[in-house]
Amino acid sequence: MKVMIRKNAAGQLSAYVPKKDLEENIVSMEKDSMWGGLVTLANGWQLELPDMAADTLLPLTVEARKVSA
């Protein structure tokens, strides 16, 4: 699924899923750089993000895989 990763006005990372019209803060990350691992959203969803460079500029739309609800 397409997911836009960005920093919100408060400086927190958030994920926006256009097909679901859902925007949630990222509350935990499997890896420090976020990329290539699982992230957990505030609503409990876990998304597997693609492997990218740690200094990738945001906002960015990526193809993510939903692991759990």
Side-chain angles (χ1 to χ4, degrees), residues 20-67:
K20 302 288 186 185
D21 193 27
L22 170 79
E23 183 164 12
E24 293 286 341
N25 286 336
I26 296 174
V27 295
S28 70
M29 295 179 281
E30 180 181 35
K31 297 183 175 182
D32 291 337
S33 70
M34 170 175 59
W35 304 113
L38 293 176
V39 296
T40 303
L41 306 183
N43 68 353
W45 283 17
Q46 286 190 316
L47 302 175
E48 184 177 358
L49 298 180
D51 195 20
M52 302 181 85
D55 60 351
T56 300
L57 297 177
L58 299 176
L60 179 69
T61 300
V62 296
E63 188 68 33
R65 186 172 69 90
K66 185 176 171 186
V67 176

Side-chain angles (χ1 to χ4, degrees), residues 3-7 12-18 22-26 39 41 47 49:
V3 177
M4 183 195 320
I5 307 293
R6 65 181 179 176
K7 283 193 178 183
Q12 296 175 318
L13 289 171
S14 67
Y16 174 67
V17 183
L22 170 79
E23 183 164 12
E24 293 286 341
N25 286 336
I26 296 174
V39 296
L41 306 183
L47 302 175
L49 298 180

